[in-house]
Amino acid sequence: MQELPIVSNIVETESKIKKPNWLRVKLPTGESYKHVRGLVDTHKLHTICESGNCPNMGECWGEGTATFMILGNVCTRSCGFCAVATGRPDPIDWDEPQRVAEAIHLMKVKHAVITSVDRDEVKDGGSIIWYNTIKAVKSLNPDTTLETLIPDFKGEKENIQRIIEAAPEVVSHNIETVERLTRKVRIQAKYWRSMEVLRTLKEGGMRTKSGIMLGLGETKEEVIQTIKDLAESKVDVITIGQYLQPTKKHLPVQRFVHPDEFKEYREIGYELGIDYVESGPLVRSSYHSEKHIVPGYGRQKWEEEKAMLIA
C-alpha cells in the first residue's frame, strides 16, 4: 500500500528519539466528523483514515473527504515503512467496486481517495478492479471528485492504461523516499520505474501526484534531487510529510524534520514549477486532496503569500 502509516503513540527507536511538540494534534471533533464516524461504525465501512489512525482524520471528514482501500488488506509486498500485512491475499472480490461506490454514496463523500494493496500475484495487478471501482464510483456519485493512489503495476503499460481510461480527477503514485533508500524502504519497488509510471500517466492526460516521507535517513540534497526528479517527470502535485514508525518491526525514525525544513522544500517545489506542494510534518498522501484536483490553486496561493511578504 502507498499510504503513509500513522500511529498515535509511536514506538521510540533505539536512540530514544522522542516525538516533538509539532507532531501533536488535537482529537477530532465537530458535527460533520461525528456524522461520518457514526456511519462508519454502523455500517462497518473500512477507511484508511481510521485504520491508519491519521491525525488529520477529523479535519478531512469534516470537509467531506475520506480514503478507502480496495483489493483486500493483505499485500504481496513487504515495504519497510508500511503496517499493512504481507502474505497471500484472498481471491479478488469482483463485487467490491459496487460496495465501495455505495459506501461513498452512503457517507455523502464530496471527495474520495481510493488506494490499494499491491496484487503482484495476479496478471493484471488488480487494475481491472481499479477500473471497475472508478467507473462504479463515478456512476453512483457523479458529483464526487476522485483521487486514485495506485501501485506501480510493475510498470506494465496495459495496466496503467486502464487507470487512464477510467479518468479519475487525480492519479497518485508515491515515490515514498529518495533513490538511495528505495531498496530498503520499498523492497520490491524501483525508484525509476515509479518515475516512469508517473510520466506514463502524465502522457495519458492525467493530473499526477506523488508523495515523499522524511526521517528515514535521507539527506537534504537527496530530498531536493527527488523533488527535481518529480518535477522533470511533470508531476503536478507533491506531498512531503514526516515518517512515523508503526511498530518495532518497521524501519525506525532516524530524525524528526523541523517544520522550517518542510517550508524550505515547499519553496523549492514551487520554484521548480510544481503546481501544488503540500509540505509539513503532519502531511499525508490524502491531506487536502480535495484541493489538489484544482489546477493552479496551490501555485496561486503561494504567489499571493510571496506578494504579501514583498508588500
Side-chain angles (χ1 to χ4, degrees):
M1 190 188 75
Q2 310 299 323
E3 272 293 290
L4 298 170
I6 317 297
V7 289
S8 55
N9 297 307
I10 80 163
V11 180
E12 292 183 7
T13 66
E14 291 181 2
S15 57
K16 302 297 182 183
I17 302 175
K18 293 183 179 180
K19 186 165 68 172
N21 291 332
W22 62 75
L23 281 172
R24 302 185 187 281
V25 295
K26 296 179 180 178
L27 292 173
T29 58
E31 291 304 316
S32 296
Y33 167 79
K34 292 176 183 177
H35 172 70
V36 175
R37 163 65 75 183
L39 289 172
V40 168
D41 292 344
T42 300
H43 297 277
K44 299 180 180 179
L45 303 175
H46 178 70
T47 71
I48 288 295
C49 323
E50 195 174 24
S51 62
N53 198 16
C54 180
N56 307 311
M57 183 168 61
E59 180 182 348
C60 291
W61 283 10
E63 293 292 329
T65 300
T67 302
F68 302 85
M69 186 167 74
I70 61 173
L71 289 167
N73 57 7
V74 177
C75 190
T76 54
R77 299 189 185 183
S78 52
C79 297
F81 67 90
C82 185
V84 173
T86 301
R88 185 175 182 83
D90 292 331
I92 298 290
D93 179 358
W94 295 102
D95 294 327
E96 184 177 45
Q98 188 60 31
R99 288 204 312 276
V100 172
E102 290 171 356
I104 288 171
H105 183 74
L106 180 69
M107 294 171 69
K108 299 180 180 179
V109 172
K110 299 174 185 175
H111 176 75
V113 181
I114 299 175
T115 186
S116 80
V117 293
D118 285 276
R119 296 297 299 258
D120 293 329
E121 89 286 5
V122 293
K123 184 178 180 181
D124 74 301
S127 62
I128 295 174
I129 283 288
W130 264 107
Y131 177 89
N132 293 346
T133 300
I134 296 166
K135 286 297 189 182
V137 170
K138 288 291 187 181
S139 177
L140 190 57
N141 307 276
D143 295 326
T144 297
T145 53
L146 185 60
E147 175 188 321
T148 53
L149 177 54
I150 66 169
D152 63 19
F153 297 121
K154 295 182 178 179
E156 295 178 7
K157 297 291 180 70
E158 179 183 2
N159 296 333
I160 300 169
Q161 186 61 35
R162 289 194 178 99
I163 306 299
I164 294 171
E165 290 174 0
E169 279 74 15
V170 176
V171 184
S172 180
H173 174 63
N174 285 343
I175 198 70
E176 307 290 12
T177 190
V178 301
E179 183 179 8
R180 178 177 59 86
L181 296 177
T182 295
R183 181 168 293 193
K184 182 170 80 170
V185 175
R186 307 170 64 210
I187 299 169
Q188 293 102 319
K190 297 177 182 179
Y191 182 87
W192 290 111
R193 183 169 69 187
S194 285
M195 290 292 177
E196 181 60 27
V197 168
L198 290 163
R199 281 192 290 270
T200 300
L201 291 166
K202 174 50 64 178
E203 290 168 0
M206 296 291 97
R207 182 166 172 82
T208 56
K209 175 178 170 180
S210 191
I212 312 168
M213 299 175 293
L214 303 186
L216 286 159
E218 69 289 325
T219 65
K220 285 187 68 174
E221 291 75 17
E222 288 174 322
V223 176
I224 293 169
Q225 184 59 54
T226 303
I227 297 171
K228 288 180 179 178
D229 292 339
L230 290 170
E232 290 174 2
S233 298
K234 307 300 182 184
V235 171
D236 297 291
V237 182
I238 63 170
T239 60
I240 309 174
Q242 172 70 52
Y243 166 71
L244 297 177
Q245 184 183 22
T247 74
K248 288 182 178 180
K249 296 180 180 179
H250 291 85
L251 293 170
V253 176
Q254 297 294 327
R255 70 180 180 120
F256 289 110
V257 179
H258 193 275
D260 288 345
E261 189 172 331
F262 280 105
K263 290 179 182 177
E264 182 180 348
Y265 295 136
R266 178 174 180 263
E267 292 296 309
I268 290 170
Y270 278 124
E271 293 287 355
L272 287 169
I274 292 170
D275 190 56
Y276 201 125
V277 185
E278 198 83 63
S279 182
L282 294 173
V283 167
R284 298 296 176 260
S285 294
S286 304
Y287 187 54
H288 287 166
S289 63
E290 74 281 0
K291 299 176 183 177
H292 299 164
I293 66 173
V294 184
Y297 178 85
R299 175 161 292 278
Q300 180 182 343
K301 293 292 184 183
W302 173 67
E303 289 174 349
E304 289 174 356
E305 290 172 12
K306 289 188 69 175
M308 288 179 64
L309 288 174
I310 295 172

